[in-house]
mmCIF file of all heavy atoms in Angstrom:
data_model
loop_
_atom_site.group_PDB
_atom_site.id
_atom_site.type_symbol
_atom_site.label_atom_id
_atom_site.label_comp_id
_atom_site.label_asym_id
_atom_site.label_seq_id
_atom_site.Cartn_x
_atom_site.Cartn_y
_atom_site.Cartn_z
ATOM 1 N N ALA S 1 0.809 -1.176 -0.029
ATOM 2 C CA ALA S 1 -0.005 0.025 -0.015
ATOM 3 C C ALA S 1 0.838 1.233 -0.014
ATOM 4 O O ALA S 1 0.859 2.046 -0.983
ATOM 5 C CB ALA S 1 -0.950 -0.016 1.199
ATOM 6 N N LEU S 2 1.581 1.475 1.111
ATOM 7 C CA LEU S 2 2.280 2.768 1.187
ATOM 8 C C LEU S 2 3.285 2.971 0.036
ATOM 9 O O LEU S 2 3.332 4.018 -0.630
ATOM 10 C CB LEU S 2 3.016 2.844 2.522
ATOM 11 C CG LEU S 2 3.875 4.092 2.761
ATOM 12 C CD1 LEU S 2 2.931 5.328 2.830
ATOM 13 C CD2 LEU S 2 4.703 3.904 4.094
ATOM 14 N N GLY S 3 4.112 1.991 -0.217
ATOM 15 C CA GLY S 3 5.110 2.099 -1.257
ATOM 16 C C GLY S 3 4.506 2.315 -2.666
ATOM 17 O O GLY S 3 4.807 3.360 -3.330
ATOM 18 N N PRO S 4 3.605 1.381 -3.104
ATOM 19 C CA PRO S 4 3.062 1.636 -4.450
ATOM 20 C C PRO S 4 2.246 2.886 -4.626
ATOM 21 O O PRO S 4 2.440 3.552 -5.652
ATOM 22 C CB PRO S 4 2.120 0.392 -4.555
ATOM 23 C CG PRO S 4 2.684 -0.600 -3.670
ATOM 24 C CD PRO S 4 3.308 0.116 -2.542
ATOM 25 N N MET S 5 1.539 3.317 -3.614
ATOM 26 C CA MET S 5 0.757 4.558 -3.786
ATOM 27 C C MET S 5 1.597 5.814 -3.719
ATOM 28 O O MET S 5 1.437 6.720 -4.469
ATOM 29 C CB MET S 5 -0.308 4.668 -2.596
ATOM 30 C CG MET S 5 -1.389 3.678 -2.801
ATOM 31 S SD MET S 5 -2.372 3.790 -4.315
ATOM 32 C CE MET S 5 -1.668 2.313 -5.188
ATOM 33 N N ALA S 6 2.698 5.759 -2.864
ATOM 34 C CA ALA S 6 3.629 6.885 -2.863
ATOM 35 C C ALA S 6 4.368 6.951 -4.179
ATOM 36 O O ALA S 6 4.678 7.965 -4.681
ATOM 37 C CB ALA S 6 4.616 6.687 -1.672
ATOM 38 N N GLY S 7 4.722 5.742 -4.718
ATOM 39 C CA GLY S 7 5.504 5.750 -6.006
ATOM 40 C C GLY S 7 4.589 6.357 -7.067
ATOM 41 O O GLY S 7 5.127 7.097 -7.963
ATOM 42 N N GLN S 8 3.350 5.990 -7.208
ATOM 43 C CA GLN S 8 2.506 6.516 -8.163
ATOM 44 C C GLN S 8 2.196 8.055 -7.993
ATOM 45 O O GLN S 8 2.261 8.805 -8.985
ATOM 46 C CB GLN S 8 1.075 5.855 -8.126
ATOM 47 C CG GLN S 8 1.177 4.396 -8.590
ATOM 48 C CD GLN S 8 1.610 4.184 -10.000
ATOM 49 O OE1 GLN S 8 1.370 5.076 -10.891
ATOM 50 N NE2 GLN S 8 2.036 3.027 -10.430
ATOM 51 N N ALA S 9 2.094 8.429 -6.704
ATOM 52 C CA ALA S 9 1.939 9.906 -6.410
ATOM 53 C C ALA S 9 3.148 10.649 -6.882
ATOM 54 O O ALA S 9 3.055 11.701 -7.570
ATOM 55 C CB ALA S 9 1.611 10.165 -4.932
ATOM 56 N N GLY S 10 4.316 10.139 -6.619
ATOM 57 C CA GLY S 10 5.526 10.774 -6.960
ATOM 58 C C GLY S 10 5.674 10.816 -8.483
ATOM 59 O O GLY S 10 6.083 11.841 -9.060
ATOM 60 N N TYR S 11 5.336 9.725 -9.134
ATOM 61 C CA TYR S 11 5.486 9.722 -10.676
ATOM 62 C C TYR S 11 4.622 10.767 -11.303
ATOM 63 O O TYR S 11 5.096 11.547 -12.121
ATOM 64 C CB TYR S 11 5.154 8.412 -11.226
ATOM 65 C CG TYR S 11 5.151 8.333 -12.691
ATOM 66 C CD1 TYR S 11 6.368 8.319 -13.388
ATOM 67 C CD2 TYR S 11 3.981 8.464 -13.481
ATOM 68 C CE1 TYR S 11 6.386 8.334 -14.782
ATOM 69 C CE2 TYR S 11 3.962 8.486 -14.799
ATOM 70 C CZ TYR S 11 5.192 8.418 -15.497
ATOM 71 O OH TYR S 11 5.182 8.427 -16.827
ATOM 72 N N PHE S 12 3.315 10.761 -10.952
ATOM 73 C CA PHE S 12 2.392 11.691 -11.634
ATOM 74 C C PHE S 12 2.571 13.165 -11.202
ATOM 75 O O PHE S 12 2.255 14.033 -11.972
ATOM 76 C CB PHE S 12 0.972 11.247 -11.438
ATOM 77 C CG PHE S 12 0.587 10.054 -12.289
ATOM 78 C CD1 PHE S 12 0.498 8.802 -11.718
ATOM 79 C CD2 PHE S 12 0.444 10.199 -13.633
ATOM 80 C CE1 PHE S 12 0.111 7.654 -12.473
ATOM 81 C CE2 PHE S 12 0.060 9.084 -14.451
ATOM 82 C CZ PHE S 12 -0.077 7.832 -13.873
ATOM 83 N N ARG S 13 3.069 13.397 -10.016
ATOM 84 C CA ARG S 13 3.329 14.735 -9.560
ATOM 85 C C ARG S 13 4.672 15.317 -10.120
ATOM 86 O O ARG S 13 4.778 16.560 -10.195
ATOM 87 C CB ARG S 13 3.272 14.763 -8.012
ATOM 88 C CG ARG S 13 1.993 14.487 -7.406
ATOM 89 C CD ARG S 13 2.057 14.560 -5.830
ATOM 90 N NE ARG S 13 2.293 15.934 -5.425
ATOM 91 C CZ ARG S 13 1.376 16.792 -5.144
ATOM 92 N NH1 ARG S 13 0.061 16.514 -5.228
ATOM 93 N NH2 ARG S 13 1.588 18.018 -4.785
ATOM 94 N N VAL S 14 5.620 14.484 -10.303
ATOM 95 C CA VAL S 14 6.957 14.956 -10.641
ATOM 96 C C VAL S 14 7.472 14.519 -12.053
ATOM 97 O O VAL S 14 8.004 15.325 -12.832
ATOM 98 C CB VAL S 14 8.049 14.523 -9.626
ATOM 99 C CG1 VAL S 14 9.432 14.989 -9.987
ATOM 100 C CG2 VAL S 14 7.576 15.088 -8.267
ATOM 101 N N TYR S 15 7.329 13.210 -12.368
ATOM 102 C CA TYR S 15 7.969 12.673 -13.520
ATOM 103 C C TYR S 15 7.134 12.522 -14.802
ATOM 104 O O TYR S 15 7.610 12.318 -15.915
ATOM 105 C CB TYR S 15 8.568 11.269 -13.204
ATOM 106 C CG TYR S 15 9.772 11.344 -12.340
ATOM 107 C CD1 TYR S 15 9.759 10.806 -11.033
ATOM 108 C CD2 TYR S 15 10.953 11.995 -12.770
ATOM 109 C CE1 TYR S 15 10.903 10.887 -10.225
ATOM 110 C CE2 TYR S 15 12.087 12.019 -11.987
ATOM 111 C CZ TYR S 15 12.084 11.456 -10.742
ATOM 112 O OH TYR S 15 13.177 11.562 -9.910
ATOM 113 N N ALA S 16 5.815 12.562 -14.672
ATOM 114 C CA ALA S 16 4.984 12.320 -15.849
ATOM 115 C C ALA S 16 5.278 13.323 -16.937
ATOM 116 O O ALA S 16 5.421 14.539 -16.637
ATOM 117 C CB ALA S 16 3.512 12.386 -15.427
ATOM 118 N N PRO S 17 5.383 12.893 -18.179
ATOM 119 C CA PRO S 17 5.739 13.779 -19.267
ATOM 120 C C PRO S 17 4.724 14.880 -19.548
ATOM 121 O O PRO S 17 5.000 15.933 -20.103
ATOM 122 C CB PRO S 17 5.951 12.860 -20.467
ATOM 123 C CG PRO S 17 5.097 11.728 -20.077
ATOM 124 C CD PRO S 17 5.259 11.432 -18.710
ATOM 125 N N GLU S 18 3.396 14.637 -19.178
ATOM 126 C CA GLU S 18 2.478 15.683 -19.260
ATOM 127 C C GLU S 18 1.526 15.542 -18.045
ATOM 128 O O GLU S 18 1.371 14.484 -17.433
ATOM 129 C CB GLU S 18 1.649 15.523 -20.530
ATOM 130 C CG GLU S 18 1.001 14.205 -20.687
ATOM 131 C CD GLU S 18 0.317 14.062 -22.096
ATOM 132 O OE1 GLU S 18 1.023 14.395 -23.061
ATOM 133 O OE2 GLU S 18 -0.814 13.599 -22.110
ATOM 134 N N PRO S 19 0.883 16.666 -17.635
ATOM 135 C CA PRO S 19 -0.068 16.602 -16.438
ATOM 136 C C PRO S 19 -1.235 15.614 -16.629
ATOM 137 O O PRO S 19 -1.842 15.568 -17.698
ATOM 138 C CB PRO S 19 -0.546 18.075 -16.308
ATOM 139 C CG PRO S 19 0.455 18.906 -17.129
ATOM 140 C CD PRO S 19 0.929 17.988 -18.214
ATOM 141 N N VAL S 20 -1.513 14.891 -15.670
ATOM 142 C CA VAL S 20 -2.660 13.988 -15.631
ATOM 143 C C VAL S 20 -3.401 14.322 -14.290
ATOM 144 O O VAL S 20 -3.211 13.613 -13.248
ATOM 145 C CB VAL S 20 -2.220 12.553 -15.683
ATOM 146 C CG1 VAL S 20 -3.512 11.682 -15.792
ATOM 147 C CG2 VAL S 20 -1.308 12.288 -16.783
ATOM 148 N N PRO S 21 -4.194 15.345 -14.243
ATOM 149 C CA PRO S 21 -4.829 15.754 -12.973
ATOM 150 C C PRO S 21 -5.610 14.719 -12.235
ATOM 151 O O PRO S 21 -5.492 14.634 -11.061
ATOM 152 C CB PRO S 21 -5.807 16.920 -13.459
ATOM 153 C CG PRO S 21 -5.185 17.371 -14.719
ATOM 154 C CD PRO S 21 -4.614 16.203 -15.406
ATOM 155 N N PHE S 22 -6.316 13.832 -13.019
ATOM 156 C CA PHE S 22 -7.070 12.760 -12.310
ATOM 157 C C PHE S 22 -6.166 11.852 -11.546
ATOM 158 O O PHE S 22 -6.433 11.531 -10.435
ATOM 159 C CB PHE S 22 -7.849 11.951 -13.265
ATOM 160 C CG PHE S 22 -8.590 10.799 -12.727
ATOM 161 C CD1 PHE S 22 -9.755 10.925 -11.994
ATOM 162 C CD2 PHE S 22 -8.044 9.529 -12.869
ATOM 163 C CE1 PHE S 22 -10.403 9.870 -11.398
ATOM 164 C CE2 PHE S 22 -8.653 8.366 -12.241
ATOM 165 C CZ PHE S 22 -9.861 8.607 -11.576
ATOM 166 N N ALA S 23 -4.976 11.495 -12.174
ATOM 167 C CA ALA S 23 -4.042 10.528 -11.509
ATOM 168 C C ALA S 23 -3.415 11.230 -10.355
ATOM 169 O O ALA S 23 -3.228 10.597 -9.259
ATOM 170 C CB ALA S 23 -3.002 10.087 -12.492
ATOM 171 N N VAL S 24 -3.019 12.499 -10.424
ATOM 172 C CA VAL S 24 -2.464 13.264 -9.360
ATOM 173 C C VAL S 24 -3.423 13.270 -8.244
ATOM 174 O O VAL S 24 -2.986 12.989 -6.970
ATOM 175 C CB VAL S 24 -2.091 14.654 -9.836
ATOM 176 C CG1 VAL S 24 -1.677 15.536 -8.556
ATOM 177 C CG2 VAL S 24 -0.896 14.708 -10.815
ATOM 178 N N ALA S 25 -4.637 13.562 -8.478
ATOM 179 C CA ALA S 25 -5.668 13.623 -7.422
ATOM 180 C C ALA S 25 -5.920 12.334 -6.722
ATOM 181 O O ALA S 25 -5.971 12.158 -5.466
ATOM 182 C CB ALA S 25 -6.909 14.238 -7.933
ATOM 183 N N ARG S 26 -6.028 11.260 -7.524
ATOM 184 C CA ARG S 26 -6.337 9.937 -7.072
ATOM 185 C C ARG S 26 -5.204 9.468 -6.141
ATOM 186 O O ARG S 26 -5.528 8.961 -4.987
ATOM 187 C CB ARG S 26 -6.570 8.987 -8.207
ATOM 188 C CG ARG S 26 -6.855 7.567 -7.782
ATOM 189 C CD ARG S 26 -6.952 6.585 -8.989
ATOM 190 N NE ARG S 26 -7.466 5.355 -8.605
ATOM 191 C CZ ARG S 26 -6.757 4.320 -8.071
ATOM 192 N NH1 ARG S 26 -5.391 4.539 -7.852
ATOM 193 N NH2 ARG S 26 -7.246 3.140 -7.731
ATOM 194 N N TYR S 27 -4.004 9.491 -6.566
ATOM 195 C CA TYR S 27 -2.922 8.853 -5.828
ATOM 196 C C TYR S 27 -2.542 9.777 -4.660
ATOM 197 O O TYR S 27 -2.138 9.228 -3.524
ATOM 198 C CB TYR S 27 -1.717 8.600 -6.704
ATOM 199 C CG TYR S 27 -1.982 7.526 -7.727
ATOM 200 C CD1 TYR S 27 -2.066 7.737 -9.045
ATOM 201 C CD2 TYR S 27 -2.180 6.168 -7.226
ATOM 202 C CE1 TYR S 27 -2.241 6.672 -9.960
ATOM 203 C CE2 TYR S 27 -2.443 5.170 -8.099
ATOM 204 C CZ TYR S 27 -2.511 5.391 -9.429
ATOM 205 O OH TYR S 27 -2.840 4.372 -10.330
ATOM 206 N N THR S 28 -2.632 11.052 -4.782
ATOM 207 C CA THR S 28 -2.395 11.927 -3.638
ATOM 208 C C THR S 28 -3.413 11.765 -2.559
ATOM 209 O O THR S 28 -3.079 11.644 -1.371
ATOM 210 C CB THR S 28 -2.333 13.467 -4.114
ATOM 211 O OG1 THR S 28 -1.377 13.619 -5.136
ATOM 212 C CG2 THR S 28 -2.024 14.326 -2.889
#
């Protein structure tokens, strides 16, 4: 739980090549 969700939050907030607001909101 903690690791996978933090990893996804980090990816979509920092590394994603383009903004994906739904993913940012969901994982955050």
Side-chain angles (χ1 to χ4, degrees):
L2 179 63
M5 291 302 103
Q8 292 293 340
Y11 174 79
F12 283 106
R13 293 179 67 90
V14 178
Y15 286 117
E18 59 186 44
V20 187
F22 174 79
V24 170
R26 179 183 189 276
Y27 291 114
T28 303

